[in-house]
Amino acid sequence: MNFRAELIAVGTELLLGNIANTDAQFVSEALSSVGVDVLYHTAVGDNVQRLHSVTDIARRRADLIIYIGGLGPTYDDVTKNIVAQAFGRELVFHPEILEEIRHCFDTVFRRPMPECNRQQACLPAGCEVFHNPVGTAPGCCFEEDGVTVMMLPGVPHECRYMVEHQVLPWLRRRSKQVILSRDIRIFGLSEPQVQELLAPLMNDAVNPSLAPYAKTGEVMLRMTAKGESDAACAELMEPMLQEVRRLLGDYCYGENIAGLEHAVVALLQEKHRTCATAESCTGGLIAKRITDVPGASAVFRGGVVSYTNEVKAAVLGVPQALLDTYGAVSEPVAAAMADGARRITGADLAVSVTGVAGPDRDDRGNEVGTVFVGLSTPEGTCVRHLSLGTGRTRVRITAAHHALDMIRRYLAGLDF
Amino acid sequence: MNFRAELIAVGTELLLGNIANTDAQFVSEALSSVGVDVLYHTAVGDNVQRLHSVTDIARRRADLIIYIGGLGPTYDDVTKNIVAQAFGRELVFHPEILEEIRHCFDTVFRRPMPECNRQQACLPAGCEVFHNPVGTAPGCCFEEDGVTVMMLPGVPHECRYMVEHQVLPWLRRRSKQVILSRDIRIFGLSEPQVQELLAPLMNDAVNPSLAPYAKTGEVMLRMTAKGESDAACAELMEPMLQEVRRLLGDYCYGENIAGLEHAVVALLQEKHRTCATAESCTGGLIAKRITDVPGASAVFRGGVVSYTNEVKAAVLGVPQALLDTYGAVSEPVAAAMADGARRITGADLAVSVTGVAGPDRDDRGNEVGTVFVGLSTPEGTCVRHLSLGTGRTRVRITAAHHALDMIRRYLAGLDF
């Protein structure tokens, strides 16, 4: 059964822009992963008339309607009443759900259950209950008139829990098709360069399909196959994967991983090496990214954020003569920072970044985006000189990518 | 003129869940700020028939339709053609826009403009052009049949730029009503505590309205007034603002600022003080947040990420005896880390964080979420002992909040 789905998010806070509709993203990604085509997202406020109207529209163009949000206990949580009415179902009280809700108040919130939460135990007659062990609003699912209707809570972690534990198993039971996807992560090529390199593959790709996603300073490709089983999908993907890997060469730093820092931590673990950082314009971002990875403590010894020349000299031991002669944003200082970080932390490797993130040029007239990235290793020290253009956040992120890329390439035995 | 708006985001990547519709959030927030009621969000793929169909629906229920995305140069960027067709306008070639696009390739991308970008210079006849100095896709605006139609690029920073520089000024010129809002930032109280404290105010508030927004580890209140002018709105807000400030006391760390790091950098600048950081479990996050603030270089001297005991001892000078006796996650080590960071960087103040972010307990059996935050000042050193619960990311963010809060409270002359 190939559903054509519409998501209807209910909540005035979405229309006021107080929050982003991240539930829709999460649910869409989950539905795509089991082969459901999501054709529309709709968001509407806590408004009876407009919720009726978008329901009428959705019934005409989708056969799976998933409502998200508006299942809370207060008067402005209208979803359940309107949907039940629109699809001609009574709301029925479930004493066992009331017990679940009361249990949640007793054990999680540790306060008496307010009377208004009683109505969360009412659900459309004949529905399948999606129990909610992580919150008070149960979800549900029923079929009416050829349309499958689901209601999910809007609180993001409750919505996710219910999608993973109830919606996806429900859909998998009804689906003959499996979808498998693989994310290919690329650093060192721009999106147009990737497109040019892979154009023949991407244009002809149907199953598997291959599409690029731009991210700040790097590129991601997603390959997606549909088939009867995971194994069948993997077999479909294999020839194209090999071709993509061949064309990208060592610009591809990983598959199905969340970023360069994950590749770096994995390589450090594999090679039994440790690293350290010395950061000026990235201000701690590289250390933060490495320590975002659980388990980083085994391979990351530490770092220095040297935002002043005094700290570069006193803590990292950068010779004052270098700072005076070349300025803080220079190749010799980047090299000395990396060497210093390696020495004082006792790490096997250290990276350094010194540059001008903006908004203004530095006092020596270096343009915004001028960045030196150093790598100190037992075999010597080298520095990349970059011109990263403008945009403080983009410059910082891209400079951090380069530092991580240098560690990766060194550990992988590549040119760096 | 009080618009009833619908946003139509165009892009299959939204329906696949590859990205969240953050443009819709940003545009909605901006529209709300000038009194435009956003009634619907719609997202649809790069599909001619479905884009036509959602356009038909939007024309019947909104008098301001804002299309976001699908203005790129490739064949799957369909928005402009479909919208022009739906509203009966020809596309007209603008040579001056082509020059802008070519200029962008020359100066920003630094490569020749591909032929396909030519069509981005075609816009519906008679429209007002929204120029795009930060990308290649111009936006536009026209009125047809009582409906105002706008098209904006989907790339987030281009969309934001155009909203701020073109859409909002356009709307303000046509509006009789002004909306003014004020964000009140709170650290140290939970959302239920804030609600309890302000319940009478929040329940009765109509104009201005007052609503809480939970953020990780802190709370934000937004007060919003509608009136004939900014001055009229400010006058409406003043009594409630004073009452809110009185009730919150020094838990309120700022108004209309983006976070604790901004309050800290402003206070450091005002008091002519400098600071430094010594971070263990936050791994550079505090330094990163401080250096996110443009101009931080005048007040931030640097920091150390001491992820190992060796770095704590060798770089920060934490006595080995303290590490051996109390362990790295302890009050004496937090104090010695802060003192060390202050000494080696020469900063006036230094904060330190040592704790267990998870996923596992540390080797001395400290629970996940056990965190010590130290503040070293010329008058002495003090340490907060926290139990922040689980969730690696949440523990790290909340610990960083506490470190920044200690600097703020010290500089503001409050208990800390």
Side-chain angles (χ1 to χ4, degrees), chain B residues 223-252:
Chain B
M223 188 181 297
T224 306
K226 300 187 182 193
E228 284 183 356
S229 66
D230 281 358
C233 291
E235 199 180 314
L236 276 171
M237 286 205 272
E238 193 51 34
M240 195 191 288
L241 259 181
Q242 294 200 2
E243 183 62 7
V244 168
R245 288 179 191 138
R246 189 185 66 78
L247 289 166
L248 292 174
D250 55 34
Y251 291 112
C252 169

mmCIF file of all heavy atoms in Angstrom, chain B residues 223-252:
data_model
loop_
_atom_site.group_PDB
_atom_site.id
_atom_site.type_symbol
_atom_site.label_atom_id
_atom_site.label_comp_id
_atom_site.label_asym_id
_atom_site.label_seq_id
_atom_site.Cartn_x
_atom_site.Cartn_y
_atom_site.Cartn_z
ATOM 1 N N MET B 223 6.502 40.016 25.419
ATOM 2 C CA MET B 223 5.398 40.953 25.613
ATOM 3 C C MET B 223 5.157 41.657 24.281
ATOM 4 O O MET B 223 6.096 42.114 23.635
ATOM 5 C CB MET B 223 5.781 41.978 26.679
ATOM 6 C CG MET B 223 4.627 42.883 27.091
ATOM 7 S SD MET B 223 5.143 44.098 28.350
ATOM 8 C CE MET B 223 5.588 43.025 29.710
ATOM 9 N N THR B 224 3.893 41.697 23.852
ATOM 10 C CA THR B 224 3.577 42.248 22.536
ATOM 11 C C THR B 224 2.422 43.228 22.636
ATOM 12 O O THR B 224 1.390 42.902 23.213
ATOM 13 C CB THR B 224 3.195 41.114 21.560
ATOM 14 O OG1 THR B 224 4.236 40.141 21.555
ATOM 15 C CG2 THR B 224 2.995 41.646 20.150
ATOM 16 N N ALA B 225 2.600 44.414 22.074
ATOM 17 C CA ALA B 225 1.535 45.415 22.092
ATOM 18 C C ALA B 225 1.206 45.849 20.669
ATOM 19 O O ALA B 225 2.081 45.876 19.804
ATOM 20 C CB ALA B 225 1.970 46.634 22.915
ATOM 21 N N LYS B 226 -0.066 46.149 20.433
ATOM 22 C CA LYS B 226 -0.483 46.724 19.151
ATOM 23 C C LYS B 226 -0.940 48.157 19.388
ATOM 24 O O LYS B 226 -1.627 48.436 20.363
ATOM 25 C CB LYS B 226 -1.673 45.939 18.569
ATOM 26 C CG LYS B 226 -1.394 44.482 18.303
ATOM 27 C CD LYS B 226 -2.583 43.831 17.563
ATOM 28 C CE LYS B 226 -2.307 42.346 17.354
ATOM 29 N NZ LYS B 226 -3.235 41.722 16.401
ATOM 30 N N GLY B 227 -0.581 49.053 18.473
ATOM 31 C CA GLY B 227 -0.991 50.438 18.632
ATOM 32 C C GLY B 227 -0.742 51.219 17.363
ATOM 33 O O GLY B 227 -0.384 50.652 16.334
ATOM 34 N N GLU B 228 -0.935 52.518 17.464
ATOM 35 C CA GLU B 228 -0.815 53.340 16.269
ATOM 36 C C GLU B 228 0.623 53.715 15.939
ATOM 37 O O GLU B 228 0.922 54.152 14.832
ATOM 38 C CB GLU B 228 -1.640 54.624 16.432
ATOM 39 C CG GLU B 228 -3.122 54.379 16.265
ATOM 40 C CD GLU B 228 -3.914 55.668 16.361
ATOM 41 O OE1 GLU B 228 -3.301 56.728 16.627
ATOM 42 O OE2 GLU B 228 -5.136 55.608 16.197
ATOM 43 N N SER B 229 1.494 53.610 16.913
ATOM 44 C CA SER B 229 2.897 53.983 16.696
ATOM 45 C C SER B 229 3.751 53.202 17.681
ATOM 46 O O SER B 229 3.244 52.627 18.652
ATOM 47 C CB SER B 229 3.088 55.472 16.934
ATOM 48 O OG SER B 229 2.846 55.761 18.306
ATOM 49 N N ASP B 230 5.067 53.197 17.419
ATOM 50 C CA ASP B 230 5.978 52.568 18.367
ATOM 51 C C ASP B 230 5.820 53.194 19.745
ATOM 52 O O ASP B 230 5.815 52.500 20.768
ATOM 53 C CB ASP B 230 7.435 52.744 17.896
ATOM 54 C CG ASP B 230 7.791 51.754 16.798
ATOM 55 O OD1 ASP B 230 6.924 50.927 16.437
ATOM 56 O OD2 ASP B 230 8.922 51.807 16.304
ATOM 57 N N ALA B 231 5.671 54.530 19.765
ATOM 58 C CA ALA B 231 5.565 55.220 21.049
ATOM 59 C C ALA B 231 4.295 54.792 21.797
ATOM 60 O O ALA B 231 4.325 54.549 23.006
ATOM 61 C CB ALA B 231 5.562 56.732 20.831
ATOM 62 N N ALA B 232 3.191 54.673 21.051
ATOM 63 C CA ALA B 232 1.936 54.253 21.693
ATOM 64 C C ALA B 232 2.078 52.842 22.252
ATOM 65 O O ALA B 232 1.608 52.542 23.362
ATOM 66 C CB ALA B 232 0.785 54.322 20.686
ATOM 67 N N CYS B 233 2.736 51.957 21.495
ATOM 68 C CA CYS B 233 2.943 50.583 21.971
ATOM 69 C C CYS B 233 3.817 50.588 23.229
ATOM 70 O O CYS B 233 3.530 49.878 24.199
ATOM 71 C CB CYS B 233 3.620 49.746 20.893
ATOM 72 S SG CYS B 233 2.577 49.416 19.474
ATOM 73 N N ALA B 234 4.883 51.365 23.183
ATOM 74 C CA ALA B 234 5.795 51.417 24.328
ATOM 75 C C ALA B 234 5.061 51.907 25.572
ATOM 76 O O ALA B 234 5.258 51.392 26.677
ATOM 77 C CB ALA B 234 6.984 52.321 24.014
ATOM 78 N N GLU B 235 4.178 52.874 25.380
ATOM 79 C CA GLU B 235 3.427 53.405 26.514
ATOM 80 C C GLU B 235 2.472 52.338 27.069
ATOM 81 O O GLU B 235 2.328 52.205 28.282
ATOM 82 C CB GLU B 235 2.650 54.640 26.058
ATOM 83 C CG GLU B 235 2.214 55.536 27.204
ATOM 84 C CD GLU B 235 1.445 56.761 26.677
ATOM 85 O OE1 GLU B 235 1.921 57.385 25.709
ATOM 86 O OE2 GLU B 235 0.353 57.044 27.220
ATOM 87 N N LEU B 236 1.848 51.589 26.160
ATOM 88 C CA LEU B 236 0.972 50.498 26.602
ATOM 89 C C LEU B 236 1.750 49.457 27.416
ATOM 90 O O LEU B 236 1.238 48.887 28.371
ATOM 91 C CB LEU B 236 0.358 49.797 25.393
ATOM 92 C CG LEU B 236 -0.891 50.407 24.772
ATOM 93 C CD1 LEU B 236 -1.209 49.705 23.456
ATOM 94 C CD2 LEU B 236 -2.070 50.286 25.743
ATOM 95 N N MET B 237 3.004 49.204 26.999
ATOM 96 C CA MET B 237 3.773 48.132 27.641
ATOM 97 C C MET B 237 4.369 48.541 28.977
ATOM 98 O O MET B 237 4.605 47.697 29.840
ATOM 99 C CB MET B 237 4.911 47.687 26.708
ATOM 100 C CG MET B 237 4.433 46.857 25.533
ATOM 101 S SD MET B 237 5.756 45.800 24.911
ATOM 102 C CE MET B 237 6.512 46.886 23.756
ATOM 103 N N GLU B 238 4.653 49.815 29.131
ATOM 104 C CA GLU B 238 5.477 50.256 30.246
ATOM 105 C C GLU B 238 5.002 49.766 31.623
ATOM 106 O O GLU B 238 5.798 49.198 32.385
ATOM 107 C CB GLU B 238 5.624 51.787 30.216
ATOM 108 C CG GLU B 238 6.699 52.335 31.125
ATOM 109 C CD GLU B 238 8.062 51.680 30.966
ATOM 110 O OE1 GLU B 238 8.411 51.294 29.825
ATOM 111 O OE2 GLU B 238 8.765 51.526 31.991
ATOM 112 N N PRO B 239 3.691 49.943 31.968
ATOM 113 C CA PRO B 239 3.292 49.505 33.316
ATOM 114 C C PRO B 239 3.511 48.003 33.524
ATOM 115 O O PRO B 239 4.005 47.576 34.573
ATOM 116 C CB PRO B 239 1.797 49.846 33.378
ATOM 117 C CG PRO B 239 1.551 50.815 32.261
ATOM 118 C CD PRO B 239 2.572 50.538 31.216
ATOM 119 N N MET B 240 3.171 47.202 32.493
ATOM 120 C CA MET B 240 3.336 45.752 32.672
ATOM 121 C C MET B 240 4.811 45.370 32.719
ATOM 122 O O MET B 240 5.201 44.476 33.480
ATOM 123 C CB MET B 240 2.628 44.976 31.572
ATOM 124 C CG MET B 240 2.481 43.501 31.948
ATOM 125 S SD MET B 240 1.946 42.469 30.590
ATOM 126 C CE MET B 240 0.253 42.972 30.458
ATOM 127 N N LEU B 241 5.618 46.052 31.923
ATOM 128 C CA LEU B 241 7.064 45.790 31.951
ATOM 129 C C LEU B 241 7.628 46.024 33.343
ATOM 130 O O LEU B 241 8.401 45.204 33.866
ATOM 131 C CB LEU B 241 7.778 46.732 30.980
ATOM 132 C CG LEU B 241 8.207 46.197 29.626
ATOM 133 C CD1 LEU B 241 8.924 47.283 28.841
ATOM 134 C CD2 LEU B 241 9.094 44.963 29.764
ATOM 135 N N GLN B 242 7.211 47.138 33.949
ATOM 136 C CA GLN B 242 7.720 47.442 35.286
ATOM 137 C C GLN B 242 7.297 46.375 36.290
ATOM 138 O O GLN B 242 8.072 45.972 37.154
ATOM 139 C CB GLN B 242 7.223 48.822 35.733
ATOM 140 C CG GLN B 242 7.803 49.933 34.868
ATOM 141 C CD GLN B 242 7.728 51.286 35.551
ATOM 142 O OE1 GLN B 242 7.280 51.392 36.686
ATOM 143 N NE2 GLN B 242 8.188 52.320 34.847
ATOM 144 N N GLU B 243 6.045 45.917 36.141
ATOM 145 C CA GLU B 243 5.542 44.898 37.061
ATOM 146 C C GLU B 243 6.297 43.580 36.850
ATOM 147 O O GLU B 243 6.678 42.908 37.808
ATOM 148 C CB GLU B 243 4.032 44.721 36.823
ATOM 149 C CG GLU B 243 3.335 43.754 37.752
ATOM 150 C CD GLU B 243 3.376 44.165 39.221
ATOM 151 O OE1 GLU B 243 3.838 45.276 39.526
ATOM 152 O OE2 GLU B 243 2.951 43.337 40.062
ATOM 153 N N VAL B 244 6.522 43.216 35.595
ATOM 154 C CA VAL B 244 7.264 41.985 35.310
ATOM 155 C C VAL B 244 8.675 42.080 35.866
ATOM 156 O O VAL B 244 9.168 41.149 36.507
ATOM 157 C CB VAL B 244 7.295 41.715 33.782
ATOM 158 C CG1 VAL B 244 8.292 40.612 33.443
ATOM 159 C CG2 VAL B 244 5.905 41.350 33.284
ATOM 160 N N ARG B 245 9.320 43.210 35.639
ATOM 161 C CA ARG B 245 10.687 43.388 36.152
ATOM 162 C C ARG B 245 10.721 43.275 37.675
ATOM 163 O O ARG B 245 11.613 42.673 38.248
ATOM 164 C CB ARG B 245 11.241 44.750 35.740
ATOM 165 C CG ARG B 245 11.585 44.849 34.256
ATOM 166 C CD ARG B 245 12.099 46.254 33.927
ATOM 167 N NE ARG B 245 12.196 46.459 32.492
ATOM 168 C CZ ARG B 245 11.839 47.567 31.853
ATOM 169 N NH1 ARG B 245 11.369 48.605 32.529
ATOM 170 N NH2 ARG B 245 11.947 47.664 30.553
ATOM 171 N N ARG B 246 9.688 43.864 38.325
ATOM 172 C CA ARG B 246 9.640 43.829 39.783
ATOM 173 C C ARG B 246 9.492 42.386 40.268
ATOM 174 O O ARG B 246 10.169 41.939 41.187
ATOM 175 C CB ARG B 246 8.462 44.683 40.278
ATOM 176 C CG ARG B 246 8.421 44.925 41.791
ATOM 177 C CD ARG B 246 7.164 45.665 42.223
ATOM 178 N NE ARG B 246 5.946 44.890 42.030
ATOM 179 C CZ ARG B 246 5.525 43.904 42.831
ATOM 180 N NH1 ARG B 246 6.234 43.565 43.889
ATOM 181 N NH2 ARG B 246 4.410 43.238 42.569
ATOM 182 N N LEU B 247 8.598 41.634 39.603
ATOM 183 C CA LEU B 247 8.332 40.262 40.037
ATOM 184 C C LEU B 247 9.522 39.345 39.760
ATOM 185 O O LEU B 247 9.815 38.448 40.547
ATOM 186 C CB LEU B 247 7.077 39.718 39.351
ATOM 187 C CG LEU B 247 5.757 40.339 39.841
ATOM 188 C CD1 LEU B 247 4.612 40.005 38.885
ATOM 189 C CD2 LEU B 247 5.418 39.830 41.250
ATOM 190 N N LEU B 248 10.203 39.544 38.641
ATOM 191 C CA LEU B 248 11.314 38.658 38.281
ATOM 192 C C LEU B 248 12.609 39.034 39.007
ATOM 193 O O LEU B 248 13.466 38.169 39.227
ATOM 194 C CB LEU B 248 11.577 38.698 36.776
ATOM 195 C CG LEU B 248 10.496 38.098 35.892
ATOM 196 C CD1 LEU B 248 10.822 38.349 34.423
ATOM 197 C CD2 LEU B 248 10.356 36.592 36.156
ATOM 198 N N GLY B 249 12.746 40.308 39.364
ATOM 199 C CA GLY B 249 13.968 40.735 40.047
ATOM 200 C C GLY B 249 15.181 40.412 39.202
ATOM 201 O O GLY B 249 15.157 40.513 37.976
ATOM 202 N N ASP B 250 16.249 39.959 39.860
ATOM 203 C CA ASP B 250 17.485 39.756 39.105
ATOM 204 C C ASP B 250 17.533 38.418 38.377
ATOM 205 O O ASP B 250 18.571 38.064 37.820
ATOM 206 C CB ASP B 250 18.716 39.972 39.996
ATOM 207 C CG ASP B 250 18.683 39.100 41.233
ATOM 208 O OD1 ASP B 250 18.176 37.972 41.138
ATOM 209 O OD2 ASP B 250 19.175 39.545 42.277
ATOM 210 N N TYR B 251 16.432 37.661 38.353
ATOM 211 C CA TYR B 251 16.384 36.502 37.465
ATOM 212 C C TYR B 251 16.304 36.944 35.999
ATOM 213 O O TYR B 251 16.588 36.180 35.099
ATOM 214 C CB TYR B 251 15.181 35.597 37.786
ATOM 215 C CG TYR B 251 15.326 34.892 39.111
ATOM 216 C CD1 TYR B 251 14.508 35.191 40.184
ATOM 217 C CD2 TYR B 251 16.299 33.903 39.273
ATOM 218 C CE1 TYR B 251 14.651 34.541 41.398
ATOM 219 C CE2 TYR B 251 16.448 33.250 40.477
ATOM 220 C CZ TYR B 251 15.622 33.572 41.544
ATOM 221 O OH TYR B 251 15.768 32.924 42.737
ATOM 222 N N CYS B 252 15.843 38.161 35.772
ATOM 223 C CA CYS B 252 15.816 38.703 34.417
ATOM 224 C C CYS B 252 17.206 39.216 34.065
ATOM 225 O O CYS B 252 17.736 40.088 34.729
ATOM 226 C CB CYS B 252 14.793 39.826 34.325
ATOM 227 S SG CYS B 252 14.923 40.740 32.790
#
